[in-house]
Amino acid sequence: MVRTEERLAGAPVTLTIVAAAAAAQLCPPVAEALVYDRGAILGGQMWRLVTGPLAHFSEGHLFFNALVFAAAGYLAERRRPRFFAWLCLASSLAASFFLFFLSPGIEVFGGLSGIATMAVVFLAVDEIRAGSRSSLLWSVVLALTAGKIILETALGSPLFAAVEGVVLVPSAHVTGALTALAGQGFLLQRKAVPDPSA
Amino acid sequence: MSLAVSLVLSFFIAGCYGLHGKQTRHSSSVVQYLYPDKENVADAPSIPVLSLPIKAGIAFVPDTEMTGSPYRLSEKQKLDIMEQIANEFAKYPFVKSIERIPTAYLRPKGGFTNLDQIRTMHGVDVIALISYDQVQHTSEDLLSIAYWTIVGMYVVKGERNDTNTMMDTAVYHIPSRKLLFRAPGTSQTKGSATPVNLAEQLRKDSFDGFVKANSDMIANLHAELERFKEKVKAQPEAYKVVAEPGSRGSGSLDPMTAILILMTGGAALWFGRKKD
């Protein structure tokens, strides 16, 4: 029991984000206050640029996004706690700015999948760079993620994809993956990559 | 070519049935409205680009046959039927609005040229075209009616004073000329009229027949819409979906991808630890 609590305490950002997303789903007024809403942002509610991914449009939409983020985020945050927190913030802002400036047709946006994609890519690259013995499997994880992004970008948004009436926005996953790669590039440049297994 | 041959065949069959016994017939046809001459039958549909949320229209195609029928659906009755269908489908979150289009806007044999005009006038990209065929038999003969839809022929047995009604809704994407899905609805009202109240009862049966066929058609349309949704998911190369200004978007990890990533990542961790 103590070990579980210690482990959870080791990933406070991941835990907070998942808990906030679940709370927003349980309390619709909270979700409405957090969701990316272009009109409200133009009206000055700038926090929505950061909090948008916490809102979801159905329980199913939340479940798989949160499941992947919780798993990948927990591991990534345990390796680089402070840096991962900044990456979550950067990933959320990158997705929102992309939508705001390049997809003005999207009025409302929600979903953790962009940040989840960032966590998966960051963790996989981190493992490969650290010389993990299962680098090949981590490469498969990267290939799966890249394949999904390429397919959904090339084929467009499948109608009724996750939630009826909601268009799938592949740019959220692209910005998530790019944020992770930029983060790794930053670490590499600073040569601040201590061996995580050390 | 096969559609053209089928068209000729359907007219022949319908004509044959008309020769037997006494019946009144009241019908309209999507095929005759969209493909009035054979040259246009070869119109090749392109890939539809569906803008979400969808702005749709709904309309009755113009009447094509009135054989001895003193009854016809009034414009108000048509609007009521369209209202009922529109209310059922406006609930879907991917439907922005459903415009009821009066029959006067549809020219007989207007084809896609007419639909293009309606698209411009009403701002709709998708249209549900309703056609129908109603036959009332007043003779002792055992008759049949043949109804030709865009995809096949229905044959219904009829008896004295029965009212057989068939309705059909074909949903088209106007710019691409593509039939998205269709659904029929049928009803059969058993004749209860006596010679004294025959005309009045047949008139009542006529409208009741449309109401029942419409209910049947709505249920079938819901089922067909579900099938269409599955088809769009399975064939993303055949239907392109874009976001219209004002739409909602989401990032989403589909279950298959999520499970694959989790399983592979889990395996990577497990093997990494085992080897360590």
Side-chain angles (χ1 to χ4, degrees):
Chain A
M1 186 67 183
V2 175
R3 284 189 66 192
T4 305
E5 283 170 0
E6 280 175 2
R7 281 178 180 173
L8 289 176
V13 174
T14 302
L15 186 65
T16 305
I17 289 174
V18 172
Q25 187 61 31
L26 290 171
C27 186
V30 173
E32 278 175 31
L34 299 179
V35 75
Y36 170 98
D37 182 328
R38 187 179 173 80
I41 291 167
L42 285 169
Q45 298 179 10
M46 306 305 283
W47 69 85
R48 292 175 185 271
L49 291 168
V50 177
T51 60
L54 298 175
H56 289 78
F57 300 118
S58 74
E59 284 77 14
H61 183 210
L62 168 67
F63 180 75
F64 286 103
N65 285 354
L67 187 66
V68 173
F69 175 70
Y74 171 77
L75 293 168
E77 190 178 355
R78 295 268 294 176
R79 298 168 68 97
R80 303 181 189 281
R82 290 176 71 183
F83 193 69
F84 184 73
W86 284 111
L87 277 183
C88 287
L89 180 66
S91 174
S92 186
L93 283 172
S96 294
F97 280 128
F98 189 97
L99 287 176
F100 193 82
F101 291 109
L102 298 176
S103 299
I106 301 292
E107 195 70 29
V108 177
F109 173 85
L112 266 179
S113 65
I115 301 180
T117 303
M118 178 277 293
V120 168
V121 173
F122 183 78
L123 177 66
V125 174
D126 218 30
E127 286 281 353
I128 293 167
R129 286 187 56 211
S132 165
R133 288 178 179 175
S134 47
S135 291
L136 187 63
L137 281 169
W138 286 114
S139 301
V140 173
V141 170
L142 279 181
L144 281 171
T145 311
K148 173 188 163 55
I149 293 172
I150 290 167
L151 267 180
E152 66 192 13
T153 306
L155 298 178
S157 164
L159 183 60
F160 326 107
V163 190
E164 285 192 354
V166 178
V167 180
L168 188 67
V169 181
S171 66
H173 305 149
V174 176
T175 53
L178 289 178
T179 305
L181 294 176
Q184 286 291 349
F186 179 78
L187 290 175
L188 188 67
Q189 204 173 26
R190 284 183 58 188
K191 296 185 180 177
V193 193
D195 184 1
S197 58
Chain B
M1 183 64 186
S2 61
L3 183 56
V5 172
S6 304
L7 269 172
V8 174
L9 188 63
S10 73
F11 295 141
F12 175 71
I13 293 168
C16 285
Y17 285 121
L19 294 174
H20 298 286
K22 190 184 173 190
Q23 68 177 37
T24 60
R25 185 164 194 179
H26 182 196
S27 69
S28 63
S29 163
V30 169
V31 180
Q32 286 187 44
Y33 172 69
L34 289 180
Y35 305 104
D37 47 55
K38 287 171 191 169
E39 287 101 43
N40 285 350
V41 172
D43 262 1
S46 52
I47 296 173
V49 179
L50 301 166
S51 297
L52 287 187
I54 290 166
K55 284 163 80 178
I58 184 168
F60 273 83
V61 295
D63 292 350
T64 50
E65 189 174 349
M66 292 278 289
T67 311
S69 174
Y71 322 119
R72 93 172 31 229
L73 270 179
S74 69
E75 192 59 29
K76 185 184 177 310
Q77 287 171 328
K78 285 180 180 174
L79 287 171
D80 287 346
I81 289 171
M82 287 193 279
E83 178 82 25
Q84 203 181 339
I85 299 170
N87 287 343
E88 284 285 332
F89 291 91
K91 297 174 202 165
Y92 284 98
F94 50 83
V95 176
K96 186 174 188 179
S97 61
I98 299 180
E99 185 96 10
R100 293 178 304 158
I101 298 164
T103 312
Y105 285 85
L106 280 80
R107 286 197 320 273
K109 301 181 178 179
F112 283 106
T113 309
N114 190 199
L115 286 187
D116 284 335
Q117 293 163 341
I118 288 167
R119 182 189 172 209
T120 308
M121 277 190 286
H122 295 272
V124 296
D125 282 341
V126 171
I127 190 159
L129 294 173
I130 309 169
S131 56
Y132 57 86
D133 194 345
Q134 185 175 72
V135 176
Q136 293 185 304
H137 310 280
T138 50
S139 75
E140 297 286 353
D141 300 342
L142 193 64
L143 300 171
S144 297
I145 63 167
Y147 181 84
W148 181 260
T149 67
I150 197 99
V151 291
M153 189 170 62
Y154 290 80
V155 180
V156 184
K157 289 286 183 191
E159 291 177 17
R160 192 184 182 193
N161 293 342
D162 279 3
T163 300
N164 291 307
T165 310
M166 164 116 194
M167 292 178 76
D168 187 279
T169 294
V171 181
Y172 277 89
H173 182 250
I174 302 172
S176 66
R177 272 68 170 137
K178 176 110 171 174
L179 173 67
L180 301 180
F181 62 93
R182 59 165 290 281
T186 57
S187 75
Q188 188 171 33
T189 308
K190 285 286 174 193
S192 59
T194 62
V196 178
N197 70 346
L198 183 63
E200 187 189 331
Q201 188 61 43
L202 286 177
R203 184 188 298 274
K204 185 177 176 302
D205 287 350
S206 171
F207 185 63
D208 286 350
F210 279 111
V211 171
K212 286 178 191 165
N214 188 40
S215 298
D216 186 40
M217 184 174 72
I218 286 172
N220 290 335
L221 276 170
H222 280 297
E224 284 302 319
L225 180 57
E226 290 304 315
R227 281 194 202 100
F228 175 66
K229 284 156 64 174
E230 292 304 316
K231 200 160 88 175
V232 171
K233 277 184 194 169
Q235 302 172 9
E237 72 285 355
Y239 302 90
K240 191 163 173 57
V241 181
V242 295
E244 226 186 34
S247 60
R248 295 193 304 165
S250 79
S252 177
L253 290 169
D254 59 285
M256 178 72 85
T257 312
I259 290 165
L260 276 174
I261 288 173
L262 288 172
M263 283 176 67
T264 318
L269 283 175
W270 190 73
F271 277 115
R273 284 191 177 179
K274 197 180 173 190
K275 284 177 180 173
D276 287 343

